[in-house]
Amino acid sequence: MNCMRPREYLKKVGILESIKGRLVLYFILLLVVPFLFIGYIAYNSEKAALQDRIKGHLTSIADIQKGRIRTWLYERVTDVSIIAGNGHIIQDIETLEKMGDPHRYVNDPRYLRILDQLNSVKKSHNYLDIFILDEDGRITATTVNKELGEYRLDTEYYKESIKAGLAGQYIQGVYYDTHYGKLAMAFVAPMHSYPNLRDYGGAAVLVVGMDESFTPIIEDRPGMGSTGDTLIGKREGGYVVYLNRLKYRPDSPLTFKFPLSKAPTPILNATGDIEGMVEAKDYRGVKVLAATRYIPETGWGLVVKEDYDEIFAPVESLGRKVLYITGFALLMVFILIYMVSSRIADPIVELSALTRRVTGGDFGVNLPVKRKDEVGVLAGSFNDMATALMKYKAEVDEKGAEIGQANRELMSLARNLEAKVAERTAELEESRNRLRESLEVLERANVELRRMDRIKDNFLGMMSHELRTPLSLITGYSSNLLADRGFHLDARVEEAVEGIYKGSQRLKVIVNEMLDVSQIDARGLRLVFTPTNMLLLIEDVLKELGSFIRERGQTVVMGEFMDMPEVALDKKRMRQVVNNIIGNAVKFTPDGGRIEITARLYLAGDEYARAHGAAVGEYMEVVVKDSGIGIDKEEADRIFEKFYEVGDIEKHTTSKYRFLGRGVGLGLPIARGIVEAHGGRLWVESSGYDPARCPGSAFHVMLPIFKTAGDRGTVDRFGESVESPK
Ligand code: ADP
């Protein structure tokens, strides 16, 4: 391991590449996932429970506070109403008022009696003042002596209550009272002079300092935590105005306000008579849980709230604790598992180091079998293996020596072989040179041969052409001599002339054939296409050959003959082809034999037609099948060569009759030349030559179907299809 380069080593200990790393990782995953899962569930359920508890708590505080505020309001209303409803006071003050300026009756016992009453109420609840205001807004009796006779015409409570002629009690919410320089509330109760039911017209007014009376109630926040806060507010001219001192804004009363559209949700709900519980941001923008209540008597909203963070602090600390414990557990597990996995993995690593030594060829290794577990078993088997390997190595060394010897022998053999190969190569080289020389000689001979062939062809063409004129003279004169009885020929002479005539006739046939061949060879065969009915053409030829056929006692059968269309053909040339083929069939079939002629049509792309070299388009095939001597397989193609005749023609003549039509072996080459000039194919099929059993042969003519001469296309196409017969 220490022979490794550092980078390789790092790769080797990469977490997933070592057993140790993998073990540690799996264990941690196995432990941490459930731990975190449980922690998460506990955290959430704890949080929900806590939230429920706090909600209940805030709700009950809000209900209690609402009740206390309303009770407080009732008490004040009651206090002022008691004064206002006191018949003696009304009677006395009416009498005193008649004296004009109040300062005149300050010492009047009736006034002192009234003052007594007022003072006792004031003292009992630490009010700022309690006084009587007459119809004109003048103070006619007061606990604050210096105010006597003053007017309170500008106050809201005068304008909204006494001046407005209000029958019931009136509460002026929180306001800044300039006379006492304090935040205050005023409670007004109109005075009725019962029992004679005559209205006095004035009213009793009670002024309460907020700090003195109300604040202790509102600031009493039992069990609400450090962020718990109670606040009251009121909607006023499109604003929400806070009325009490807020925990985080002591200057708030009457000065701290929000437009309705921007007001925090808790106070907005409370002043809007929406009672309940909200989770929202408060005036500081801090998230709080708040209970909202509405005080109908004053149109106030009451909010009892606590900061979210504080509420959930215990849960958060629980979450943190879970995390710490998890972290600690992880560390412990890591150490533990690292130790355990070391115990598992180290022997394996040790084993692998020793294995490497064995790989290096040191089979003498013997592992200490310290343990009885799987690793111990492994070490044991490893030792067995090392021993076995040592044995094999000895055997291999021995065999190696043998192989070395054999190898040396082989080497010397190979050297001999090499020498022999070199020798043979030289010989081969020599014979190849000789071969090349002979090839060159052959090639020269071939060129010469081809030249000679051309000369022969030319000669053939020229000669046949030159022979025609004298030949027609000979035929003409001899036929004249025979026809004109006026010559009175001697019988012997007449026989000779007849010989001349017949000979010249035969010669004419041969010369014409030679001319045809030379035209075909020079690709100079001119065809004149006319629409032709093949069946009629064949019947015509049969009629012509009728006498021979009858003479031989042969039967001609028109076999399967489909309704053949008219085809554009050179009628004269095609007749020559048919004549030759049927003529040959008659010739090479014994007397009494049978000749069958059939025809078929092949549609474009037909398999059979294509196999016989027919290109695209429709084809017509005419087959002339005889029961004659047949043709040897090897001869089947050669009979289409010029001047080729199979064996001795005399021997083929199986009949006692001799034939005039016996040619020089040009008939088939010409026929093939003509058929190919039509774009067709001509071939023969026979199972072999056998004059005794007469297997027969079948000549096939396959022609493309062109309905009119125009359909044949250009002369090029025609020229292309003309090939000299092979
Ligand atoms: P020729 O004009 O001498 O008959 P062809 O070219 O017509 O020459 O025929 C060549 C040779 O092919 C013939 O001599 C004959 O040996 C052979 N042959 C042609 N037709 C037949 C046939 N139907 N049956 C057997 N052999 C035939």
Side-chain angles (χ1 to χ4, degrees), residues 56-303:
H57 190 54
L58 289 178
T59 303
S60 55
I61 291 176
D63 285 336
I64 291 168
Q65 286 290 56
K66 181 177 175 177
R68 284 169 80 181
I69 290 169
R70 291 183 77 184
T71 309
W72 182 82
L73 289 171
Y74 279 128
E75 278 172 11
R76 306 295 82 79
V77 170
T78 311
D79 277 355
V80 79
S81 299
I82 287 170
I83 300 291
N86 187 323
H88 297 291
I89 293 179
I90 295 171
Q91 219 167 30
D92 287 346
I93 201 74
E94 267 181 327
T95 319
L96 289 172
E97 266 184 23
K98 288 195 181 105
M99 293 166 73
D101 186 358
H103 293 288
R104 289 203 194 131
Y105 56 73
V106 278
N107 291 318
D108 190 292
R110 283 168 295 193
Y111 181 70
L112 292 175
R113 213 162 54 220
I114 293 173
L115 218 53
D116 253 8
Q117 301 257 357
L118 297 184
N119 270 323
S120 80
V121 173
K122 176 186 174 176
K123 278 201 193 99
S124 67
H125 288 104
N126 196 20
Y127 297 135
L128 289 181
D129 193 5
I130 182 157
F131 54 86
I132 293 168
L133 215 54
D134 72 5
E135 242 173 321
D136 304 321
R138 190 171 61 153
I139 297 178
T140 51
T142 174
T143 55
V144 181
N145 207 33
K146 63 177 168 82
E147 289 177 351
L148 191 67
E150 281 182 9
Y151 283 88
R152 290 282 186 267
L153 295 173
D154 288 338
T155 58
E156 187 191 305
Y157 51 80
Y158 172 70
K159 286 191 262 185
E160 297 289 325
S161 174
I162 303 164
K163 197 177 169 199
L166 211 65
Q169 294 96 336
Y170 176 79
I171 304 172
Q172 182 180 352
V174 182
Y175 70 98
Y176 184 77
D177 197 311
T178 47
H179 304 282
Y180 312 102
K182 285 185 169 167
L183 286 173
M185 279 182 79
F187 294 82
V188 182
M191 298 174 94
H192 306 286
S193 53
Y194 310 102
N196 42 5
L197 283 175
R198 190 174 53 86
D199 235 358
Y200 157 65
V205 178
L206 175 69
V207 180
V208 187
M210 293 306 282
D211 284 346
E212 285 78 5
S213 182
F214 187 71
T215 309
I217 297 175
I218 201 79
E219 287 184 359
D220 180 19
R221 306 177 184 113
M224 277 185 65
S226 64
T227 61
D229 200 359
T230 319
L231 40 105
I232 49 170
K234 195 176 177 179
R235 291 191 185 191
E236 225 168 59
Y239 284 88
V240 169
V241 186
Y242 289 88
L243 300 178
N244 69 319
R245 251 199 326 255
L246 302 179
K247 191 169 213 157
Y248 302 97
R249 252 197 100 112
D251 65 331
S252 56
L254 296 181
T255 59
F256 188 46
K257 52 175 89 175
F258 285 101
L260 283 179
S261 59
K262 287 183 185 144
T265 315
I267 196 70
L268 198 69
N269 280 1
T271 55
D273 195 8
I274 300 173
E275 299 199 326
M277 183 64 67
V278 280
E279 233 179 86
K281 290 193 172 150
D282 72 351
Y283 58 92
R284 297 164 296 157
V286 174
K287 198 175 173 197
V288 297
L289 203 56
T292 59
R293 293 291 182 272
Y294 183 68
I295 316 283
E297 289 81 2
T298 46
W300 290 347
L302 166 72
V303 174

Side-chain angles (χ1 to χ4, degrees), residues 513 580-589 624-632 635 638-649 652 661-671 684 686 689 696-699:
E513 282 188 349
N580 177 265
I581 293 172
I582 300 179
N584 275 346
V586 174
K587 233 195 288 183
F588 298 105
T589 302
V624 177
K625 193 170 167 226
D626 60 39
S627 60
I629 55 174
I631 297 166
D632 212 288
E635 311 279 0
R638 296 168 104 184
I639 54 170
F640 295 100
E641 284 172 15
K642 279 175 283 185
F643 304 112
Y644 188 84
E645 286 196 35
V646 181
D648 180 2
I649 192 73
H652 299 168
R662 194 195 142 204
V664 286
L666 286 176
L668 286 177
I670 292 168
V684 66
S686 173
Y689 168 72
S697 28
F699 280 78

Side-chain angles (χ1 to χ4, degrees), residues 300-366:
W300 290 347
L302 166 72
V303 174
V304 177
K305 68 180 179 71
E306 191 169 344
D307 283 9
Y308 223 73
D309 284 349
E310 192 190 21
I311 294 171
F312 294 113
V315 189
E316 297 301 340
S317 89
L318 175 84
R320 264 196 303 280
K321 266 180 218 151
V322 169
L323 277 183
Y324 293 152
I325 292 169
T326 310
F328 181 71
L330 265 182
L331 193 71
M332 294 317 289
V333 165
F334 182 81
I335 293 168
L336 205 80
I337 288 171
Y338 190 83
M339 273 153 56
V340 168
S341 59
S342 285
R343 267 187 71 76
I344 297 172
D346 285 352
I348 297 174
V349 172
E350 198 181 325
L351 203 67
S352 88
L354 287 168
T355 318
R356 218 161 292 126
R357 266 174 65 192
V358 174
T359 321
D362 180 2
F363 300 124
V365 172
N366 198 23

